Amino acid sequence: MPAAFQRRPSSAIRAARLLALITAFLAFLAPSALCEHGPAPVVTEKTAGHDAHAAHGKGLPNDAPVLFHIGPLPVNNSMIITWIVAIGIIVFAQRATRRIRSSREAANEVPSGAQNFWEFLVESLYNFLGEILGPKLVKKTFWFFATIFIFILFTNWFGLLPGVGTIGWSVPEDPGSPHIFNHVTRPLFRGGNADLNMTAAMALTFFGWWTWWAIRENSHGKKGIGGFFAGIVGVLKHLFAPKGKESGFMKYFLILVFAAVGLIEVVSILFRPVSLSFRLYGNVFAGENILESMMQLVPWLGWLIPVPFYFLELLVGLVQALVFTLLTSVFTLLICEHEEEHQEGVAAHH
Amino acid sequence: MDIPIAEILSNLHVGLAGLGSAIGVGLIGSKAAEATGRNPGAAGAVRNVAIIFAALAEGIIFFAIYLAK
């Protein structure tokens, strides 16, 4: 593993982790407090809800239902899954890397168990991203892409567990009917990425970091405030300035062409966060809807028909995590690579 | 119920977008399989490119769904 990962975490990172743990614990406590006041939680099978669904003619709602409020902050069921997965990953990573961080000798042992799995995951991600981004850029940006991959992957897979979308609160719409509790209107859990807020937050976070990386990489090694402005000029040059060496009339013509291309490029850059968030949300949301409608397709075969679709969703969960990571890393590469370095890189590949 | 034609058009528009992105993803998949067959050594690079472009082609349908109606 690269030496960068064996450093002890700084106190700021520790404080941030502690804060994340505390908020997560609050999230666990709050639903149980709600149970005392709200309608009684009802556990129903997904297969049992078919008649209620058929009557309403709709599957999953587009927005994640809000369960409760922490102060002014509404908390919905997708956020709860997000927190559970985040805590799971943090705790597992801390456990798995405990021996590496304990002493220098332990870091040189042959790993086993959880540490082995975690090192395999991180190291294969590092090699994979290194092939795309190149050895220099991957060192600076690996933390983001690896985190986003691991997090999206496990959030997607966690959403496939039984109990997600089937345990929750139900509002009796027709008090006379015997099936009043068949349809869970406010499930306790919902796939974390089946909430557009979550995917948009990740895409916008990436957009912020992308801007920062673009400025830093295009400042050509200058530091401080001067480097910042040099970086902004570098980014603008990267987008709008003509490439290649032409002279005479062609030069002025190319300036026009590259300015127009730069404008188109800016529009495409502005659409990236939108398409990134819609893609992930659309895939996960559609997947949940497919599973639900497959369970209701033939009522007495509801246990069999979704099985191939569960495998499909396992694949989609992996592919979408990969796609998000790949696209964000390629976007970063596109703005950060320099012409001369790129040619060297290409030459080194062959 | 006021303007049924708008509903029909929006359904048509999503359907056509779905058709287009399905054709796009199919072409990318077939070409990726072909390229891997010709040059198995480049399987990793081909897979990355194929996934990126499949994702871009697939993105059309999401724009269509959210812009419909």
Side-chain angles (χ1 to χ4, degrees):
Chain A
M1 277 179 63
F5 300 118
Q6 294 170 6
R7 274 195 317 227
R8 294 184 71 85
S10 71
S11 58
I13 293 174
R14 293 201 152 189
R17 280 177 187 154
L18 196 68
L19 203 68
L21 276 179
I22 291 169
T23 37
F25 263 107
L26 281 176
F28 273 120
L29 295 176
S32 58
L34 190 81
C35 288
E36 292 159 18
H37 308 294
V42 182
V43 180
T44 56
E45 298 282 321
K46 248 185 185 172
T47 43
H50 59 87
D51 45 7
H53 269 295
H56 297 298
K58 63 183 179 201
L60 214 59
N62 283 351
D63 312 327
V66 174
L67 293 183
F68 57 91
H69 290 74
I70 299 179
L73 178 78
V75 174
N76 63 34
N77 40 18
S78 286
M79 289 168 75
I80 291 177
I81 283 239
T82 309
W83 289 338
I84 291 175
V85 172
I87 295 169
I89 292 173
I90 291 169
V91 168
F92 186 79
Q94 293 284 322
R95 258 185 57 89
T97 57
R98 200 173 42 196
R99 281 191 65 77
I100 307 177
R101 288 178 285 121
S102 64
S103 69
R104 194 163 278 278
E105 292 81 51
N108 295 327
E109 285 173 5
V110 176
S112 65
Q115 187 190 336
N116 192 16
F117 171 75
W118 200 250
E119 285 197 14
F120 153 75
L121 188 63
V122 171
E123 204 167 337
S124 26
L125 271 174
Y126 191 85
N127 293 336
F128 175 71
L129 287 165
E131 277 175 27
I132 298 167
L133 292 168
K136 257 177 72 185
L137 199 57
V138 74
K139 257 183 207 159
K140 291 174 187 159
T141 59
F142 174 71
W143 61 273
F144 180 82
F145 299 125
T147 309
I148 220 108
F149 176 80
I150 294 170
F151 182 69
I152 294 177
L153 179 67
F154 287 112
T155 314
N156 285 348
W157 282 356
F158 197 91
L160 297 178
L161 292 179
V164 175
T166 53
I167 302 174
W169 292 271
S170 158
V171 179
E173 285 160 24
D174 178 13
S177 152
H179 301 298
I180 45 170
F181 286 126
N182 270 349
H183 180 65
V184 179
T185 47
R186 285 200 312 161
L188 180 59
F189 302 125
R190 170 183 164 116
N193 291 322
D195 181 6
L196 191 55
N197 296 311
M198 181 64 210
T199 58
M202 283 192 287
L204 289 174
T205 310
F206 164 70
F207 197 62
W209 278 104
W210 177 89
T211 316
W212 172 242
W213 288 325
I215 291 173
R216 202 178 57 180
E217 289 299 309
N218 283 298
S219 67
H220 300 286
K222 290 193 192 103
K223 299 265 180 250
I225 289 286
F228 182 72
F229 286 113
I232 290 178
V233 171
V235 172
L236 290 178
K237 259 183 165 171
H238 195 288
L239 290 175
F240 293 106
K243 282 121 195 140
K245 292 174 183 69
E246 299 285 340
S247 56
F249 169 71
M250 275 306 281
K251 190 178 169 186
Y252 297 106
F253 181 66
L254 277 183
I255 287 176
L256 262 180
V257 168
F258 272 98
V261 169
L263 278 178
I264 296 173
E265 181 76 7
V266 167
V267 172
S268 105
I269 286 169
L270 289 178
F271 261 98
R272 279 171 189 172
V274 183
S275 76
L276 273 177
S277 51
F278 278 0
R279 179 178 300 114
L280 184 54
Y281 166 73
N283 271 288
V284 176
F285 176 73
E288 296 210 350
N289 257 331
I290 285 177
L291 289 179
E292 219 170 311
S293 41
M294 285 305 144
M295 279 171 186
Q296 295 151 15
L297 199 60
V298 183
W300 51 275
L301 268 179
W303 52 276
L304 182 63
I305 294 177
V307 172
F309 291 92
Y310 265 104
F311 284 107
L312 177 75
E313 285 313 304
L314 278 178
L315 191 67
V316 166
L318 174 68
V319 167
Q320 287 310 313
L322 203 61
V323 160
F324 200 98
T325 316
L326 266 177
L327 282 177
T328 48
S329 56
V330 168
F331 291 156
T332 311
L333 178 72
L334 284 180
I335 196 72
C336 290
E337 71 182 350
H338 309 299
E339 242 174 296
E340 43 296 16
E341 268 180 46
H342 179 60
Q343 273 154 8
E344 277 168 30
V346 168
H349 265 292
H350 289 292
Chain B
M1 282 308 282
D2 291 358
I3 336 167
I5 193 84
E7 208 164 303
I8 292 168
L9 278 180
S10 76
N11 286 343
L12 196 68
H13 139 134
V14 174
L16 285 175
L19 189 68
S21 53
I23 291 173
V25 173
L27 282 176
I28 292 160
S30 86
K31 287 289 171 189
E34 208 172 276
T36 313
R38 277 167 191 256
N39 185 1
V46 170
R47 186 177 52 233
N48 291 350
V49 173
I51 287 178
I52 289 170
F53 281 94
L56 292 177
E58 189 193 50
I60 305 291
I61 182 68
F62 299 114
F63 283 121
I65 289 172
Y66 288 101
L67 295 178
K69 262 184 260 180

